[in-house]
Amino acid sequence: METLRVELGERSYEIAIGKGCLGGVGEAVSKLSGVSPRLALISNPTVHALYGRAVEESLDSAGFETATIIVPDGEEYKGLMWVEKIYSELLRRRLDRQSVVLALGGGVIGDMAGFAAATYMRGIRFVQVPTTLLAQVDSSVGGKTGVNHPLGKNMIGAFWQPSLVWMDMDVLSTLPERQLLAGLSEVIKYGVIWDRGFFDYLREARKDILSLDAQAIARLVRRSCEIKADVVAKDEREGGLRAILNFGHTMGHAIETLTGYTKYLHGEAVAIGMYLEALLSERLGIMKQGGAEEVRALMDAYGLPFALPDGLKTDAMLGAMAVDKKTVGGQLRFVLPEEIGKVRVSEPVSEEDVRSFLNSL
């Protein structure tokens, strides 16, 4: 297995990346200092049917008494109602302050399980076992946890770092194509915000990546995690630099909110948001002409959407973006590319400029 370390002082942790390693997760969790034998495994029906037994057997062999909690599959269930159900089960099974919550699933499961762990008894440890590409390259690393509100995505949450991230590349073989492509949007994001060479690699290695070539997938997962770990180590709580990880998310989250979290997968909405925010950057004179087209062309090569959905009103988009976490004093801010490989968090962009841009699409 390969390991990366997220350096956060006493909150540092390892990202372990391997193939066929799911059965080793129990032993790895048992090596965390001072853990209770009572552990909660949180998953959804689809993932649990595929991998739950292997993980439960691994935990059992490592001496854990596992409480398995199944929550429905889908972004629309990522809310406080289901977190409360998780709390109830944690209490019923008498998990204590030394217990561990293990998230087995994609970003929705990781976010919900992490938020439950962050707030149960004022915080217990949790472990991420991501089973989607998007979760492996993005949401499982960095300690952002939370749930949605009908008025905004991820508006209720906490920064709570995992104690371990355990990735098995083999699980991607059962991932539906749509989920795989949605994860690639976050991979493309890293190229735009940080690494021009990585962006070019994604274009050149397209066939190998889409065919799940082991070497290509390992490279893109590792490089994505390296970039995110570097950014998070420099700015754990998004005081400055870490905001660049939200490229495409201001408009992307608005699209998710306005379509009820059901029309698009998260990565698909972010793909649209990245193209729109690159176009906005060109319009504001920050990105040179043609840069947005490079972003669009790479997303198109991977079958990702990039057009603003029909029927979304400008006023509704502005209203949804007004609750974005980068908005300060009612003024909209975006992560805007200067070129491929370099972005900036913008100065406030006037509502008039954003309205005019959206109306022009």
Side-chain angles (χ1 to χ4, degrees):
M1 296 190 71
E2 293 185 80
T3 59
L4 300 171
R5 189 164 177 83
V6 182
E7 295 291 351
L8 293 169
E10 64 181 13
R11 293 180 305 285
S12 298
Y13 56 93
E14 287 191 341
I15 305 167
I17 306 170
K19 281 180 61 63
C21 61
L22 207 58
V25 68
E27 182 181 357
V29 175
S30 71
K31 291 179 179 178
L32 299 175
S33 62
V35 297
S36 163
R38 289 179 176 168
L39 177 148
L41 168 65
I42 300 177
S43 191
N44 67 42
T46 303
V47 174
H48 186 263
L50 290 167
Y51 303 114
R53 183 173 180 179
V55 172
E56 287 163 351
E57 289 179 349
S58 177
L59 293 168
D60 182 64
S61 296
F64 288 103
E65 177 188 330
T66 304
T68 297
I69 304 170
I70 304 298
V71 300
D73 188 5
E75 188 81 32
E76 63 268 35
Y77 299 106
K78 197 175 91 172
L80 288 172
M81 182 184 78
W82 279 99
V83 172
E84 185 172 355
K85 292 180 184 294
I86 292 172
Y87 293 147
S88 296
E89 195 62 19
L90 297 180
L91 289 164
R92 191 180 73 81
R93 297 294 290 266
R94 298 184 181 178
L95 270 74
D96 55 47
R97 284 184 167 174
Q98 300 305 311
S99 295
V100 174
V101 169
L102 187 148
L104 175 67
V108 170
I109 290 296
D111 283 0
M112 290 178 68
F115 181 61
T119 48
Y120 181 73
M121 293 189 174
R122 297 188 177 90
I124 64 174
R125 281 177 285 190
F126 88 111
V127 170
Q128 290 268 26
V129 184
T131 60
T132 66
L133 181 61
L134 189 146
Q136 289 182 350
V137 301
D138 186 62
S139 60
S140 68
V141 178
K144 276 189 176 181
T145 71
V147 295
N148 300 331
H149 186 277
L151 296 180
K153 183 177 169 68
N154 291 336
M155 297 306 293
I156 303 164
F159 287 99
W160 194 249
Q161 299 295 341
S163 297
L164 172 69
V165 181
W166 190 265
M167 300 185 189
D168 186 343
M169 297 295 98
D170 282 353
V171 303
L172 299 180
S173 65
T174 58
L175 195 64
E177 182 183 39
R178 186 182 176 194
Q179 289 275 0
L180 178 71
L181 298 178
L184 285 167
S185 74
E186 294 280 6
V187 177
I188 292 169
K189 177 192 74 177
Y190 291 118
V192 178
I193 69 172
W194 198 262
D195 187 343
R196 172 79 212 207
F198 186 47
F199 183 91
D200 292 338
Y201 168 75
L202 296 174
R203 181 175 58 243
E204 295 158 5
R206 173 182 170 275
K207 288 184 179 179
D208 288 340
I209 291 168
L210 290 177
S211 65
L212 294 181
D213 174 80
Q215 187 174 1
I217 293 295
R219 177 173 174 176
L220 74 83
V221 170
R222 181 180 179 87
R223 184 57 183 144
S224 297
C225 289
E226 284 175 343
I227 293 170
K228 186 158 190 182
D230 195 11
V231 172
V232 170
K234 290 179 171 68
D235 178 19
E236 180 182 4
R237 292 180 173 264
E238 207 167 74
L241 176 67
R242 183 168 176 165
I244 69 172
L245 296 171
N246 290 318
F247 171 55
H249 286 61
T250 300
M251 291 194 182
H253 281 175
I255 291 167
E256 284 186 273
T257 300
L258 294 173
T259 55
Y261 306 113
T262 56
K263 182 177 176 64
Y264 296 101
L265 297 176
H266 173 67
E268 293 170 337
V270 167
I272 298 169
M274 286 194 292
Y275 177 53
L276 296 182
E277 290 175 23
L279 278 177
L280 177 63
S281 189
E282 282 189 6
R283 187 181 179 107
L284 295 173
I286 295 170
M287 191 178 202
K288 66 180 181 180
Q289 295 296 311
E293 173 57 23
E294 278 197 87
V295 174
R296 186 208 64 77
L298 186 55
M299 292 192 304
D300 192 32
Y302 281 103
L304 289 163
F306 51 83
L308 186 68
D310 291 338
L312 287 191
K313 304 292 187 182
T314 293
D315 283 344
M317 282 289 290
L318 288 168
M321 287 188 287
V323 296
D324 182 82
K325 292 183 286 295
K326 292 185 297 302
T327 298
V328 178
Q331 295 182 302
L332 294 172
R333 295 171 186 264
F334 297 87
V335 178
L336 299 177
E338 297 179 9
E339 58 187 66
I340 303 298
K342 184 180 180 182
V343 294
R344 70 167 77 161
V345 180
S346 72
E347 294 300 312
V349 181
S350 72
E351 181 178 316
E352 291 76 16
D353 283 343
V354 179
R355 180 183 297 278
S356 174
F357 168 72
L358 291 172
N359 285 336
S360 74
L361 296 175

